[in-house]
Amino acid sequence: MTIVSIHADRATARKVVWSGDRPKDPIETSRHDGDAAMATGEDDKARFARIVLPHLADAYSLARWITGNRTDADDVVQDACLRAFRAIWSTADGNPRAWVLTIVRNTAYTWLRKNRPAALVGVEDLEAVENAQAGRGDAEAETPETALIAKTDSAHLEAAIAALPAPFREALVLRDVQGLSYREIADVTGVPIGTVMSRLARGRGQLIKTIGRRAS
């Protein structure tokens, strides 16, 4: 079930990475892997363009949902792209989108710990509850409640998602906005599939309560 389709503007994401006021060009900070480049026929810039650039819009969207605003998302995406460029030869070509989003997700949480640590308070307790409940229920089961979510207008739904705890919010965004599979979400977030399902179920449950309160 797709909750909402909210995607970042691709041109905006490209501007973040390649803007003239960036502190340092990512190409200038890379460690070139000559053997790998010779084997593939690509240089650093070509490989970055092929693997990372097609997923910038999704990267920006995820960063915006995690940080809560566009300005902070700009900083996260730029830092994530620098990290991706430096590590461009460490990834295979199997699932570049998941690889890019993993870097963006980890960069966003690093940014939050440094700049907004209060936003992460309680996440450890949340994880303990999730681990106890993982695997219970079907996060994809269609119910009257999930139908209510699907009918909610985008503005109210976006606000309700933004109010969720970070682990629930990112699971919903990765699944219902960006369409990743359970396995891909587990790879991006570094948690078991059961935990992914638990986060989706609990996140949707909280969404329903929020939407219900606003509708009443």
Side-chain angles (χ1 to χ4, degrees), residues 133-156:
Q133 296 185 348
R136 298 182 185 176
D138 182 358
E140 286 302 287
E142 191 71 26
T143 66
E145 290 79 9
T146 55
L148 173 64
I149 292 175
K151 293 178 181 178
T152 304
D153 68 87
S154 294
H156 287 160

Side-chain angles (χ1 to χ4, degrees), residues 87-111:
I88 199 63
W89 294 101
S90 69
T91 180
D93 292 341
N95 195 339
R97 185 183 184 213
W99 182 76
V100 171
L101 292 179
T102 300
I103 294 175
V104 171
R105 187 256 185 191
N106 292 342
T107 302
Y109 274 91
T110 298
W111 187 94

Side-chain angles (χ1 to χ4, degrees), residues 197-216:
M197 294 178 67
S198 173
R199 289 181 179 184
L200 284 169
R202 297 184 68 205
R204 288 169 181 165
Q206 289 194 24
L207 270 185
I208 291 164
K209 291 179 181 179
T210 301
I211 292 169
R213 286 196 297 270
R214 293 180 178 179
S216 62

Side-chain angles (χ1 to χ4, degrees), residues 3-180:
I3 284 183
V4 63
S5 179
I6 303 171
H7 295 284
D9 179 71
R10 189 180 184 84
T12 301
R14 283 182 178 274
K15 184 177 180 182
V16 170
V17 181
W18 302 111
S19 60
D21 60 351
R22 62 187 182 276
K24 205 167 189 181
D25 193 299
I27 295 174
E28 296 173 357
T29 64
S30 172
R31 179 182 64 79
H32 181 73
D33 189 327
D35 292 340
M38 289 178 63
T40 62
E42 289 182 310
D43 61 11
D44 292 359
K45 184 176 181 179
R47 186 170 177 81
F48 182 87
R50 179 172 63 83
I51 291 178
V52 178
L53 293 187
H55 307 295
L56 278 185
D58 286 342
Y60 182 82
S61 176
L62 179 60
R64 182 170 67 86
W65 279 108
I66 292 177
T67 62
N69 66 72
R70 298 179 184 278
T71 300
D72 296 338
D74 289 349
D75 293 338
V76 167
V77 171
Q78 177 145 327
D79 190 14
C81 283
L82 291 171
R83 295 184 184 192
F85 192 88
R86 295 186 186 110
I88 199 63
W89 294 101
S90 69
T91 180
D93 292 341
N95 195 339
R97 185 183 184 213
W99 182 76
V100 171
L101 292 179
T102 300
I103 294 175
V104 171
R105 187 256 185 191
N106 292 342
T107 302
Y109 274 91
T110 298
W111 187 94
L112 286 175
R113 290 186 186 96
K114 179 180 179 181
N115 296 281
R116 217 184 301 154
L120 298 178
V121 172
V123 170
E124 293 78 8
D125 294 335
L126 203 59
E127 292 290 336
V129 175
E130 287 169 1
N131 290 335
Q133 296 185 348
R136 298 182 185 176
D138 182 358
E140 286 302 287
E142 191 71 26
T143 66
E145 290 79 9
T146 55
L148 173 64
I149 292 175
K151 293 178 181 178
T152 304
D153 68 87
S154 294
H156 287 160
L157 187 56
E158 186 167 357
I161 293 174
L164 291 172
F168 297 170
R169 184 169 65 245
E170 70 176 5
L172 281 167
V173 170
L174 289 170
R175 178 64 181 174
D176 294 330
V177 176
Q178 298 187 342
L180 271 64

